[in-house]
Amino acid sequence: IDEFGAPYVVKADGLAAGKGVIVTSDREAALAHADTYLPSGPVLVEEFLAGPEVSLFFLSDGDTVRALSPAQDFKRALDGDEGPNTGGMGAYSPLPWLGERFGGEDAFVAQVTAEVAEPVIRQLDAEGTPFIGLLYAGLILTESGVKVIEFNARFGDPETQVVLARLRSPLSRLLLAAASGTLESEPAPEFSADAAVTVVLASEGYPEAPQTGRAIEGTDAAASVDGVHLAHAATATADGALVATGGRVLNVVAVGADLADARERAYTALERITLEGGHYRRDIAARAAG
Ligand code: GLY
């Protein structure tokens, strides 16, 4: 654990759904976290990478790679990136601040495609295990360059809610082209210039001990806000009523002319939803919206 020094990043295996990670400057807390997870699986101690996190998804047919639009998610439970890690409390896309550092979002995407996605896809192909599907690159933009913190072979949650909200090209065509080896002849995915923000409504006690079975009201009123739709995650109907069945209950997804507009719509909609003890972050995309 002392190889990298503080802050320490201790990560339980992926089955912990993002909640098995602790980032702390307290060596004892890092060791205690490792102890908690040691009985159930391997623990990885990683170098801490400082900088903003960006999620970038790529479709691959094993040879050709097509990037989607970058998004940023908010993994901590509380405003100001405080509290425990979660599966994700909100996300937004696009990331206007990428322009300052990379000369535009397109330049950033081109760089990560050339330096990260294409080499990975080429290497997997060379090893006889071509990757066909969705490659999720979790990136940290450090002072010394773009670093990969993780790959997933799936769409990310909640980033997908905002990336797909802006996707203009038919997703089914892109997925079919990836599956059938024809991505090269498919036009690059197109995205609207609109901004999208999603905010996750979580149950009381999430992530440690979510309270479930509580009634959710006001979803129709929330979904009637212009530009808003709901993406349900842990809901069910019981005796005709909508109830929460897990920690991250639903996403309020809003599209607007810019991030400030999308934020306003998302939070207007959230205020119409009631869930006893429910909580959500109030600062999703706040800094990026300016
Ligand atoms: N948003 C993090 C994940 O999907 O793993």
Side-chain angles (χ1 to χ4, degrees):
I1 195 164
D2 294 318
E3 185 179 341
F4 299 117
Y8 306 97
V9 184
V10 182
K11 198 173 200 177
D13 68 31
L15 297 177
K19 291 169 290 192
V21 181
I22 188 175
V23 180
T24 178
S25 295
D26 181 342
R27 187 175 181 280
E28 295 312 309
L31 287 171
H33 187 80
D35 276 344
T36 303
Y37 283 96
L38 268 174
S40 63
V43 173
L44 181 68
V45 182
E46 293 180 346
E47 177 188 6
F48 178 73
L49 298 176
E53 190 165 345
V54 174
S55 303
L56 187 53
F57 304 154
F58 297 90
L59 285 162
S60 167
D61 63 5
D63 181 32
T64 299
V65 174
R66 293 277 186 251
L68 302 184
S69 187
Q72 185 171 56
D73 82 344
F74 291 72
K75 290 201 167 74
R76 299 293 193 101
L78 306 176
D79 285 1
D81 291 329
E82 299 286 338
N85 247 50
T86 70
M89 295 297 287
Y92 68 94
S93 175
L95 313 183
W97 50 268
L98 280 175
E100 269 173 37
R101 192 157 160 182
F102 293 88
E105 187 173 296
D106 289 350
F108 170 78
V109 169
Q111 179 183 327
V112 179
T113 302
E115 293 179 0
V116 175
E118 288 176 347
V120 166
I121 296 303
R122 271 200 299 276
Q123 183 63 31
L124 288 170
D125 192 28
E127 291 181 15
T129 52
F131 181 82
I132 296 167
L134 194 288
L135 180 68
Y136 164 145
L139 308 164
I140 306 283
L141 312 191
T142 74
E143 293 283 318
S144 55
V146 178
K147 305 269 169 113
V148 175
I149 190 161
E150 65 175 357
F151 286 119
N152 290 303
R154 58 164 173 81
F155 281 95
D157 175 12
E159 301 96 309
T160 303
Q161 287 83 310
V162 288
V163 172
L164 295 190
R166 298 182 48 240
L167 180 65
R168 287 281 163 268
S169 319
L171 178 64
S172 52
R173 274 194 72 122
L174 292 167
L175 296 178
L176 180 63
S180 54
T182 57
L183 260 185
E184 195 178 19
S185 54
E186 195 63 28
E190 282 183 25
F191 289 87
S192 89
D194 289 340
V197 171
T198 186
V199 184
V200 171
L201 174 65
S203 291
E204 181 178 358
Y206 177 78
E208 291 91 356
Q211 302 295 311
T212 59
R214 292 182 177 169
I216 308 160
E217 286 172 357
T219 50
D220 287 345
S224 71
V225 175
D226 207 24
V228 166
H229 71 269
L230 305 187
H232 288 243
T235 62
T237 45
D239 298 329
L242 192 65
V243 295
T245 58
R248 288 191 299 159
V249 176
L250 56 80
N251 291 250
V252 173
V253 187
V255 175
D258 55 23
L259 287 173
D261 186 25
R263 266 175 59 74
E264 192 176 322
R265 292 169 197 255
Y267 285 106
T268 299
L270 263 162
E271 280 165 17
R272 297 183 180 184
I273 300 177
T274 52
L275 166 65
E276 186 195 338
H279 61 99
Y280 56 87
R281 281 184 60 158
R282 317 257 162 183
D283 64 346
I284 303 299
R287 196 170 335 145

